[in-house]
């Protein structure tokens, strides 16, 4: 008896041992998705080919198991052993034809031996081998050969929610973009403009901006451009647009961050407030249940206690301004106990006491906490740490810029996270993007800044009174 199957179909009755004959077979044709192939590629460490993810042939072995468990013998089958030989990897988009054929039966333990074969649509062998199973003892049915669930890391799910909250809703917020004279620096604000997140005002050498757009195939139609002869002038002019109320956001283009911040911090013409500037990474970590904020990893190199208090207050205001509520803030160190030999632990303890006394508001602080007991409930339990923050922090305050930068990049390159980022403490949020940022990360940076600018418009004192 031969059963042919493709993805889809209704419930399928299983086959009991006595109903199975040597020569019976079942087959399945499946086109594998890029997401499923990417998962197996990551698990097996297979290299890519021609820019595509590649899975080890064991992916075909998993589909063989699917065929055995759903059709022949079907529901209730116990997989006892396998001998597989792999002939080729699996590429995203491959159509695989899989077949199992009964070669022997042994009444003891209802054993059934099946030949297994998997080939690409063009006939190339991916897998051959033998499977040994125990046939079902009772009648049952399986839901059928539906698509294999996509067991993939849910990347950018937090970003998508932020972007949806602002994209296309209401009037886009005007954003002065300083010196967007490089491909990605120009593409980012234009993408955000098309999504309805911001209304970019490009500030820089008009001829150079147009040349970059033409070379990259970017459409400047309907986009306001203000001429400035060079990057220094572009930074000053973009800041002036904000001071004059023509823009409610500021965005870094292809100039150096220090150059933009010099204009922001100018005592006469800048955007200073009573707060110190600080940077926040809004990390979308696939394995973490909510957005993870990391601060400060880009502005303050070795902050003192007063600066750290501003860093914490800035991020607390941001978290609430985004509608995420009062954050659980972990003050990170290498250890979770106060140790005079580690200055960061003293600062952590002082910051927590400052929050107790109302010197830092709108957040729940705990520290010092090591990284593991800040984000892992199990690690906190083992260490005997009991607090509302330990194990489920929403904000990680790092002891210095080096630690923060390494933490953010470790999450990005080892854990598949994405990093949006803005600078706080000025009169308006400042969007900082990197050439390495994905499109989603750039859009998320703009969305975070736009949402927070809306919150600041309702509560103008959120980042401190102007200096």
């Amino acid at each position: 008896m031969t059963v042919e199957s493709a993805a889809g179909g209704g419930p399928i009755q299983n086959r009991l041992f006595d109903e199975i004959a040597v020569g019976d077979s079942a087959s399945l044709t499946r086109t594998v998705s890029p997401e499923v192939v990417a998962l197996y590629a990551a698990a097996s460490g297979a290299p890519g080919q021609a820019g595509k993810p590649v899975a080890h042939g064991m992916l075909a072995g998993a589909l063989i198991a699917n065929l055995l468990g759903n059709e022949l013998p079907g529901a209730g089958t116990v997989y006892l052993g396998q001998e597989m030989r792999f002939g080729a990897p699996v590429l995203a988009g491959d159509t695989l034809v899989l077949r199992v054929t009964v070669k022997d039966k042994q009444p003891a333990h209802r054993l059934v031996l099946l030949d297994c074969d998997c080939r690409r649509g063009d006939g190339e062998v991916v897998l051959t081998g033998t499977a040994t199973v125990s046939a079902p003892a009772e009648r049952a049915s399986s839901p059928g050969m539906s698509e294999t669930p996509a067991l993939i890391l849910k990347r950018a799910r937090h970003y998508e929610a932020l972007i949806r909250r602002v994209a296309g809703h209401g009037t886009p917020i005007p954003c002065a973009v300083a010196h967007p004279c490089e491909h990605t620096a120009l593409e980012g604000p234009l993408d955000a403009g098309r999504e309805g997140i911001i209304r970019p005002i490009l500030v820089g050498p008009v001829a150079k901006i147009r040349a970059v757009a033409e070379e990259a195939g970017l459409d400047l139609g309907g986009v306001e451009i203000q001429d400035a002869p060079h990057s220094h002038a572009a930074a000053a002019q973009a800041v002036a647009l904000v001071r004059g109320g023509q823009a409610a956001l500021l965005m870094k283009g292809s100039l150096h961050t220090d150059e933009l911040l010099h204009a922001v911090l100018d005592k006469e013409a800048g955007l200073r407030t009573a707060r110190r500037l600080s940077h926040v990474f809004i990390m979308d970590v696939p394995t973490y249940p909510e957005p993870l904020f990391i601060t400060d990893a880009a502005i303050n190199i070795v902050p003192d206690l007063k600066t750290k208090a501003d860093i914490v207050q800035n991020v607390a205001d941001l978290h609430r301004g985004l509608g995420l509520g009062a954050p659980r803030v972990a003050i990170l160190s290498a250890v979770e106990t106060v140790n005079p030999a580690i200055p960061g632990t003293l600062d952590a303890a002082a910051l927590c006491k400052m929050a107790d006394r109302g010197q830092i508001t709108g957040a729940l602080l705990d520290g010092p906490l090591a990284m593991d007991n800040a984000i892992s409930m199990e690690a906190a339990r083992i260490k005997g740490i009991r607090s509302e923050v330990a194990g489920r922090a929403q904000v990680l305050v790092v002891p210095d810029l080096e630690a923060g930068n390494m933490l953010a990049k470790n999450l990005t390159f080892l854990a598949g996270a994405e990093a949006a980022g803005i600078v706080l403490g000025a009169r308006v949020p400042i969007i900082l993007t990197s050439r390495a940022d994905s499109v989603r990360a750039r859009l998320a940076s703009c969305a975070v800044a736009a949402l927070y600018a809306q919150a600041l418009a309702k509560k103008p004192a959120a980042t401190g009174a102007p200096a």
Side-chain angles (χ1 to χ4, degrees):
M1 177 179 179
T2 300
V3 178
E4 299 288 340
S5 176
I12 300 173
Q13 292 294 321
N14 63 355
R15 308 268 296 281
L16 305 183
F17 181 81
D18 291 339
E19 299 170 341
I20 299 171
V22 173
D24 285 354
S25 66
S27 66
L28 165 68
T29 301
R30 174 68 54 82
T31 299
V32 293
S33 68
E35 291 83 4
V36 170
V37 173
L39 174 67
Y40 276 87
S44 63
Q49 290 184 6
K52 295 182 178 180
V54 178
H56 189 271
M58 185 55 74
L59 171 55
L63 294 174
I64 290 287
N66 193 335
L67 188 55
L68 294 169
N70 279 284
E71 295 216 22
L72 182 65
T77 296
V78 179
Y79 210 157
L80 298 175
Q82 63 181 28
E83 179 185 338
M84 301 290 182
R85 293 173 295 280
F86 303 106
V90 178
L91 295 174
D94 279 350
T95 297
L96 303 179
V97 180
L98 303 104
R99 182 177 294 274
V100 296
T101 304
V102 178
K103 62 182 293 188
D104 192 18
K105 293 177 60 182
Q106 299 175 11
H109 306 295
R110 303 186 307 281
L111 293 184
V112 179
L113 280 69
L114 303 98
D115 284 327
C116 305
D117 183 87
C118 175
R119 298 170 187 266
R120 288 206 185 98
D122 60 7
E124 183 177 8
V125 174
V126 174
L127 175 153
T128 59
T130 303
T132 302
V133 304
S134 176
E138 298 178 355
R139 182 70 64 196
S141 64
S142 67
M145 299 301 292
S146 59
E147 284 289 338
T148 304
L151 301 175
I152 60 173
L153 295 176
K154 297 297 183 181
R155 290 186 169 88
R157 65 195 189 281
H158 305 310
Y159 284 174
E160 297 300 338
L162 288 169
I163 292 168
R164 282 196 304 270
R165 284 176 54 192
V166 66
H169 297 284
T171 303
I173 294 179
C175 176
V177 186
H179 203 256
C181 296
E182 183 270 335
H183 175 193
T184 55
L186 180 58
E187 184 179 36
L190 294 180
D191 285 343
R194 282 194 298 271
E195 292 290 334
I197 298 172
I198 63 171
R199 176 173 65 81
I201 304 170
L202 309 180
V203 184
V206 173
K208 191 170 184 178
I209 292 172
R210 293 195 181 280
V212 170
E214 183 176 357
E215 183 179 352
L218 300 174
D219 183 11
L220 293 176
V223 178
E224 181 179 352
I225 306 176
Q226 295 199 9
D227 191 39
H230 47 68
S231 58
H232 288 288
Q237 191 166 322
V239 167
L241 288 174
V242 174
R243 283 184 65 93
Q246 296 155 276
L249 293 173
L250 181 64
M251 186 173 186
K252 173 181 173 290
S254 54
L255 73 175
H256 196 277
T257 300
D258 287 348
E259 196 172 2
L260 179 62
L261 295 186
H262 179 77
V264 169
L265 293 173
D266 185 279
K267 290 184 178 181
E268 299 299 327
L271 304 174
R272 296 167 65 101
T273 72
R275 296 268 184 85
R276 288 291 297 266
L277 297 186
S278 61
H279 180 271
V280 178
F281 276 122
I282 300 92
M283 306 291 296
D284 198 315
V285 185
T287 55
Y288 207 66
E290 51 193 326
L292 191 61
F293 291 48
I294 297 175
T295 187
D296 179 353
I299 300 292
N300 296 285
I301 298 174
V302 185
D304 59 18
L305 179 61
K306 185 176 185 302
T307 301
K308 287 181 179 179
D310 278 353
I311 289 171
V312 174
Q313 191 64 69
N314 283 344
V315 74
D317 290 345
L318 173 65
H319 203 270
R320 295 198 320 279
L322 295 179
L324 300 176
R328 299 184 293 273
V329 179
I331 314 299
L332 293 185
S333 184
V335 296
E336 62 278 353
T337 55
V338 176
N339 184 341
I342 305 177
T345 66
L346 300 177
D347 285 349
L351 290 168
C352 292
K353 182 53 65 176
M354 291 172 74
D356 290 343
R357 298 290 170 83
Q359 293 172 268
I360 297 172
T361 61
L364 186 62
L365 274 62
D366 193 11
L369 289 173
M371 180 68 180
D372 57 345
N373 45 60
I375 63 170
S376 166
M377 294 288 288
E378 180 63 13
R381 185 191 65 79
I382 292 171
K383 294 287 183 69
I385 302 171
R386 296 179 179 85
S387 80
E388 292 297 315
V389 176
R392 57 195 196 107
Q394 296 165 307
V395 173
L396 303 178
V397 178
V398 297
D400 55 44
L401 183 146
E402 284 186 305
N405 187 272
M406 287 186 282
L407 173 57
K409 288 182 177 176
N410 279 339
L411 289 172
T412 300
F413 292 100
L414 294 179
E418 295 197 63
I422 66 172
V423 172
L424 306 171
R427 294 190 183 187
V428 300
I430 302 170
I431 304 165
L432 294 187
T433 59
S434 165
R435 284 177 292 179
D437 289 345
S438 69
V439 172
R440 281 181 306 198
R442 291 198 293 265
L443 291 178
S445 295
C446 293
V448 167
L451 287 169
Y452 192 40
Q454 292 171 354
L456 291 179
K458 298 174 184 176
K459 297 181 180 179
T463 56

